[in-house]
Amino acid sequence: MIKTIIIDDEAPARNNLKQIIKDNFNDILITGEADSVKTGIVLLNKTTPDLVFLDINLSDGNGFNILEMIENISFQIIFITAYDEYAIKAFQFNALDYILKPIEIHHLEKALKKVKEMLQHNYITQNELNFILDNYSKKDEDKKLAIHEANKITFASLNDIMWCKADGNYTVFFFLDGSSKLTSKTLKMIELQLPESMFYRTHQSSIINLNYVKEYNKEDGGYIVLSDNTKVNIARRRKEDFLNKLKKR
């Protein structure tokens, strides 16, 4: 059995989640619940759950406040969120997962499948958790992206990423210093992680950092020149939207 607690300040939401779990997941055992940062910390300090459903927005703070107060994260986490866009982007590449309110069973199934796989191997590392906590409170231009390479994870500043290019089911990152990194994630997955305020999907095979657009050239069907003189194609259907976005910057 997977010992589980729920921390959510909305009683109906807690009851709904408990009922869904009771009706559909006989290997999940709810051993406790809390409704605030304060009661959540108390509950975690006196129990040893395998899994925590943690609401991001609580009446006296947020779920991150709880994690900052726990010395040893020895459990898996599924965040519950109603609307926090950046949290969703942040969690999609990490050991952490999330479900949206109102909770639907197929989303819960997907998140629990990931949790069960992780429980067989390891918990989220403190470095990964610190990365999420640190990123969450920063402005887009100050945030970092975890780039999963073959044998390591690099935490790269978004400001250092000039553009990204699809390479089959992989993505290549190109940096200001001329270096590049390959990750085994599709460009679509990377797009979900990058803030729209800084990055733009110009084509099915490329994403650029808008801060490094040098010029837009109308020749040869149109293309973008970046600050290092790299030429990046732009899809015809995206040109108008791209130019409008540049005008607003």
Side-chain angles (χ1 to χ4, degrees):
M1 298 291 284
I2 299 175
K3 294 183 294 182
T4 302
I5 67 174
I6 302 171
I7 303 175
D8 191 320
D9 61 350
E10 298 177 356
R14 295 197 306 273
N15 293 334
N16 179 54
L17 178 55
K18 286 189 294 183
Q19 192 62 51
I20 292 175
I21 290 173
K22 179 181 178 181
D23 293 343
N24 299 278
F25 304 96
N26 55 19
D27 56 347
I28 305 295
L29 177 65
I30 305 297
T31 59
E33 56 186 282
D35 61 1
S36 65
V37 171
K38 183 178 180 180
T39 58
I41 292 171
V42 171
L43 180 60
L44 283 171
N45 282 331
K46 70 177 184 180
T47 59
T48 55
D50 301 308
L51 170 63
V52 176
F53 285 98
L54 181 57
D55 193 2
I56 290 178
N57 298 290
L58 298 166
S59 58
D60 58 345
N62 61 58
F64 297 102
N65 299 142
I66 294 176
L67 298 179
E68 289 170 335
M69 298 296 292
I70 301 298
E71 293 185 3
N72 181 28
I73 306 296
S74 58
F75 46 81
Q76 294 295 331
I77 306 163
I78 296 179
F79 280 90
I80 305 170
T81 177
Y83 51 82
D84 197 306
E85 180 182 356
Y86 184 72
I88 292 172
K89 290 184 177 183
F91 303 150
Q92 287 179 343
F93 61 87
N94 204 279
L96 299 171
D97 213 332
Y98 71 95
I99 49 177
L100 288 171
K101 293 181 178 180
I103 296 170
E104 297 183 9
I105 186 170
H106 63 283
H107 291 150
L108 183 57
E109 285 176 340
K110 183 178 179 181
L112 286 173
K113 180 180 179 181
K114 184 174 179 180
V115 163
K116 292 172 184 178
E117 290 172 353
M118 293 302 298
L119 283 171
Q120 295 176 7
H121 298 92
N122 58 276
Y123 296 106
I124 180 173
T125 66
Q126 195 64 45
N127 283 341
E128 288 175 313
L129 179 60
N130 289 340
F131 169 69
I132 291 291
L133 296 175
D134 187 48
N135 245 11
Y136 185 75
S137 59
K138 288 183 175 180
K139 297 178 180 178
D140 286 344
E141 59 267 24
D142 297 325
K143 290 172 181 173
K144 294 183 178 181
L145 179 70
I147 300 177
H148 292 246
E149 300 177 81
N151 57 356
K152 64 179 179 179
I153 301 175
T154 300
F155 297 98
S157 170
L158 295 186
N159 267 327
D160 291 338
I161 301 170
M162 184 171 288
W163 71 294
C164 313
K165 181 179 72 173
D167 185 4
N169 288 326
Y170 293 78
T171 298
V172 183
F173 288 88
F174 296 92
F175 297 91
L176 285 176
D177 63 3
S179 65
S180 62
K181 294 184 182 296
L182 179 70
T183 184
S184 58
K185 292 186 180 293
T186 65
L187 195 66
K188 178 62 177 177
M189 294 173 68
I190 298 302
E191 182 182 14
L192 291 171
Q193 299 169 28
L194 297 173
E196 295 179 2
S197 64
M198 289 181 66
F199 292 86
Y200 190 82
R201 180 78 176 261
T202 62
H203 191 271
Q204 63 180 4
S205 62
S206 56
I207 298 173
I208 62 169
N209 188 327
L210 292 167
N211 292 329
Y212 302 118
V213 174
K214 182 179 179 180
E215 66 180 56
Y216 169 68
N217 197 309
K218 296 180 180 180
E219 296 179 355
D220 301 324
Y223 59 88
I224 298 161
V225 181
L226 300 179
S227 56
D228 66 346
N229 293 320
T230 295
K231 295 180 180 179
V232 180
N233 292 330
I234 183 165
R236 182 177 301 174
R237 64 185 176 84
R238 296 180 184 267
K239 290 179 184 177
E240 183 177 354
D241 182 59
F242 170 70
L243 292 174
N244 287 335
K245 196 170 185 71
L246 286 183
K247 290 177 183 178
K248 296 177 181 179
R249 290 177 65 81

